[in-house]
Amino acid sequence: MHKGYFITFEGAEGCGKSTQIRLLGEDLEKAGLSVKVSRSPGGTPVAEKIRKILKEATAGEDLEPETELLLFGACHSQMTANLIRPLLEKGVIVLSDRFCDSTLAYQGYARNLGADTVRKINSYACRGLKPDLTILLDLEVEEGLRRARERAGDALTLAADRFDSEKLSFHQAVRNAFLRLAAEEKERFAVISAKGSVEEVHLRIREEVHARLGIL
Ligand SMILES: Nc1ncnc2c1ncn2[C@@H]1O[C@H](COP(=O)(O)OP(=O)(O)O)[C@@H](O)[C@H]1O
Ligand SMILES: [Mg+2]
């Protein structure tokens, strides 16, 4: 049995990660491959608990940026040891909706905690594990926010999610950071335009997965 593949989906809020990861997962399953879809933060029972702390405001106390970074590290540690590694050893294809590159883009660059610090924490948390392929869905910031708003349905839902309600310049910084990471690691990253219909983007992703991993 071949070793599995670890494929991550990255990109700003609303670019279509969750939509596309589901479609790719379905295709891989139809092709007879074993697939597990996960997400960061989350994916294991402990990591899902930590996700709640990261995603929901806690009455009476703000989350410090440093705490946020360490909580992401804690999530990635649980995911690596208890989900990704064991599945890869069984030959499963693990798809993750976000992973360490999001921590680097958001906490390292956009929130200015320092790329070197974040890289160290990511590498420590993941014991050096890196994705075999990272699909970066790239989209104009305004279009991403428009899609995210549409999905949320109303302003209240949007305001409840700490990560969606950041201002435009922050989202621009996130997009730039992702593109920078992709330029630094061209073999691992596939930068895919998230413009156009769901089906158009899906076909672009299929082509990359086929070309780079020889599956599908
Ligand atoms: N190519 C697309 N064109 C138009 N709308 C899209 C496209 N892809 C996704 N959407 C919609 O945009 C919203 C955000 O997509 P989603 O997959 O949740 O993004 P993400 O997980 O990256 O935040 C959803 O309502 C989704 O149905
Ligand atoms: Mg999503």
Side-chain angles (χ1 to χ4, degrees):
M1 194 188 283
H2 72 88
K3 173 193 161 292
Y5 290 109
F6 180 32
I7 306 175
T8 56
F9 281 63
E10 298 283 7
E13 212 37 61
C15 68
K17 297 178 297 299
S18 302
T19 305
Q20 295 298 336
I21 206 166
R22 183 175 50 77
L23 294 175
L24 182 69
E26 286 169 6
D27 279 4
L28 292 166
E29 275 175 354
K30 275 185 211 146
L33 298 157
S34 306
V35 179
K36 173 73 186 174
V37 175
S38 186
R39 63 178 182 180
S40 163
T44 78
V46 171
E48 288 290 332
K49 276 192 180 174
I50 300 170
R51 178 186 178 93
K52 274 184 167 273
I53 301 175
L54 282 162
K55 289 289 208 177
E56 293 167 13
T58 302
E61 190 182 6
D62 287 339
L63 208 52
E64 295 297 317
E66 290 81 357
T67 308
E68 189 176 87
L69 171 60
L70 292 167
L71 287 174
F72 277 110
C75 271
H76 294 147
S77 168
Q78 294 299 118
M79 282 180 84
T80 300
N82 299 336
L83 185 86
I84 303 167
R85 277 245 150 97
L87 289 174
L88 290 179
E89 275 161 25
K90 287 188 204 153
V92 175
I93 299 176
V94 182
L95 307 179
S96 186
D97 193 332
R98 296 192 182 279
F99 198 58
C100 285
D101 295 304
S102 278
T103 321
L104 200 45
Y106 283 82
Q107 277 65 44
Y109 288 103
R111 287 201 198 280
N112 284 315
L113 290 176
D116 286 346
T117 305
V118 177
R119 276 182 211 279
K120 274 184 203 143
I121 289 169
N122 280 347
S123 153
Y124 179 69
C126 301
R127 289 80 154 167
L129 174 86
K130 283 222 167 189
D132 296 294
L133 172 62
T134 297
I135 308 275
L136 173 58
L137 292 176
D138 183 55
L139 189 63
E140 273 105 52
V141 167
E142 291 82 358
E143 172 64 10
L145 289 174
R146 201 186 56 71
R147 286 184 190 176
R149 265 198 298 273
E150 254 179 41
R151 177 190 56 195
D154 64 57
L156 271 180
T157 322
L158 194 60
D161 189 320
R162 299 175 59 245
F163 292 100
D164 278 346
S165 55
E166 302 284 352
K167 55 186 189 301
L168 212 60
S169 63
F170 178 80
H171 287 278
Q172 192 60 56
V174 169
R175 184 188 187 196
N176 294 343
F178 275 128
L179 289 172
R180 172 186 182 149
L181 298 179
E184 283 168 5
E185 273 185 272
K186 289 202 175 71
E187 311 87 74
R188 173 162 72 86
F189 275 88
V191 182
I192 291 175
S193 167
K195 260 187 168 160
S197 71
V198 168
E199 191 52 29
E200 281 167 340
V201 179
H202 174 55
L203 289 178
R204 286 178 204 138
I205 293 172
R206 273 192 69 118
E207 270 174 31
E208 282 291 340
V209 168
H210 177 75
R212 291 179 180 246
L213 301 180
I215 49 176
L216 278 179

